Structures are given as C-alpha cells and as structure tokens.
Amino acid sequence: MENSQSLKIALVGCGGIAQAHWRGIQAHATQLVVSAVVDTNPDRAAAMAKQTGGQPFASLESALADGDFAAVDIMLPHNQHEAAAVAAFAAGKHVVLEKPMSTNLASCARILAAAQQAGTVFLVAEQAQYWPDARQVQALIQAGAIGEIITARAYFGNPAPATAPTPKPWRYELAQAGGGITIDGGAHWLRPLRMWLGEVAEVSAVTGRPLAEMEGESFMRALLRFESGVVALFDTLYGGAVLGPGEEFRVTGTAGEIISERGYPGRLLLFDKEHPEGKVLKANLWDGDGRLAAFGYELADFAQAVLAGTPLAAAPEYALGELRTALAIYRSAVSKQWERVWD
C-alpha cells in the first residue's frame, strides 16, 4: 500500500534514459520510491538494482506477478510500448510511458483504451512539456510580449558519430523505432511549437539519410502549417562531422522575436523595441534547474497526479500530436504533397 507521501514504482528498461529518470527522481521526484527494476539484460538489471535499491526482474511479466509497486516507468524501444503498457494497465498499475506512445495510431488507440479501462494515471513522458524555457516562452507569447506571431523555426541537430556504433542502436532500426530522427528526438522540438502556436494542421516535408547506417531518416526539413494559419520551419539532422553555432528556436512576432540558442550553455533571448540588441532571459538552458531537470519535473507531476489527484500538465492524448505530425511528415516525403495531420 502507498501512503499519501510516497509511490512505489518499477523502472522498466535500464538503458541510458533510465539513468536520466533516476537522477530526476533523486533531485525532483522524491515521492517516488524505486522498488523494482526490469531488464532482459541481467547485468543492467543488477547494476540498476544496486543504484536504486529496487528488486531486479528479468521481465515485466515476472515483476507484475511478484514485485511490490503501484506504478511503472516504461523506457523500452518504441515497438515494445504497447505490450508493456497494456500489461501494466491490466495489472491495475499507474503508467509513465516514454514518448512516442507507440509507432502507429492503431497501437496508440489500444493503449489509450487499456488506460481508460484501468482508470489509473497515465503520463506519456515528453520532457519538453516541462522545459522551464518552453514554459517561459509560452507565457511571453500569451502575454503578447512579441505581438501577433508571424512565423517560427525549430532546429534539432547533432553531429554524426565518427564511427558506426557497435552494437547497432535500436533507434537505428525502423522495426523498433518506427521512423528516424523526427519521430524520436524531433518530438522534443515539436512539443514546444505546439505549446506556443497551437495544433499543426498540415505538413510538407522532405527526408534524407546522410547517416547511412540509420534505417530511418537522419535528415528532415518540413513546413508546418498550424490551425491558426502560422507557418513554421522544422529541421532535424543527425549528420555531419561538426555542426556550428546557431539557433534551435526562433519565434517572430509583430513586436519582436524570441530566440533560443543551440548547444551548451544556450541562452534564451528576447528582442523588442526596448531591447533591440537582445535581453537575456535565461543564460543557460541546460543548468541544474533547466532542461536537464525536466525528467524530474515530469515524474514529480506524475507522482502528484497519483498521490494527490492533481491534473497532469498534458493529458496522454495530447502526445498524439507529435506522433501524428511525424507520420504526416513521412507521408509527405513520399507523396511530395501537403499532408493533413488530423484527418
């Protein structure tokens, strides 16, 4: 039984993202008590158990049968999300599920139906929803700080590794990831755009594969037309030996611009009549209380929803927006036409 101050949780999948979630629990979601860890790799499960104090399990099935926890945090390859989430809901557990919810809409519908039947808390973990700078930009736009929005740009890019990683990462495989850079890391840049500009109505896109060993796209450029009529440019890239400085977000309004710089430390800047050379709103986007803390913020939000009944910052259905946009981008790259997101 959980008390009103703590929630026992199982970490399902003990890869790199689990380390980020564990750091977030320690720093910002201390209501969560890791009482179980699950991984098919016994060495990884044992290492995570030593870190967290959780009981190790080789499968979610065995953890659900014999473990002591009321919630699960699922951090598995995308194509395994449905089976794990549905099993957890069937066992009456609260669920955190890393984005994307799944690789296709039919699978997402089954997950959502299982969540509704279980009646437990369901969070699709999109940490960009909790980025302090994304929320600050949202508040500035809503307050009219840059006037009416004219256009925007988002850029997500990383240089390619010097040599192909071994073994091949699961994210490089279409069958497991459901796509390439857009459906995966690109989602973190789509979420702020949706927070700021509303829902994406249609897209026109091209894709490419500069990183040959990655089966999905490692380059994508798209125009996003929002329901408001605003058009934004969205770029993703995993390629090139070295990438220079630049911006990751630029939002242009009739009264000014907001820019966030790409890379470390990254600054958030406001340009308006009072600050034509730019006012620094945040000097380091990645500091201890910045984006790196967002994993903890989202898990604290989940814990509060379970323990106190508070509403989540974003309902799980909202996460369909990033997936739908990515899938429309993939369709557009084939059709060479504008593709609707919600039809």
Side-chain angles (χ1 to χ4, degrees), residues 155-159 181 189 235-239 243 262:
Y155 173 85
F156 169 60
N158 287 308
I181 189 172
W189 272 249
D235 289 324
T236 61
L237 174 64
Y238 192 20
L243 301 180
R262 187 171 60 80

Side-chain angles (χ1 to χ4, degrees), residues 139-181:
L140 287 167
I141 290 172
Q142 290 174 347
I146 58 172
E148 295 295 318
I149 303 301
I150 298 172
T151 190
R153 183 192 180 191
Y155 173 85
F156 169 60
N158 287 308
T163 57
T166 303
K168 187 176 182 179
W170 65 261
R171 284 182 165 86
Y172 282 23
E173 298 183 13
L174 269 174
Q176 295 196 72
I181 189 172

Side-chain angles (χ1 to χ4, degrees), residues 76-80 100 102-103 165-184 209 211-218 238 330:
L76 298 172
H78 304 161
N79 66 327
Q80 297 179 32
S102 192
T103 57
T166 303
K168 187 176 182 179
W170 65 261
R171 284 182 165 86
Y172 282 23
E173 298 183 13
L174 269 174
Q176 295 196 72
I181 189 172
T182 309
I183 199 173
D184 192 20
R209 294 179 58 233
L211 192 64
E213 57 266 33
M214 189 173 182
E215 294 175 3
E217 86 290 349
S218 46
Y238 192 20
Y330 295 154

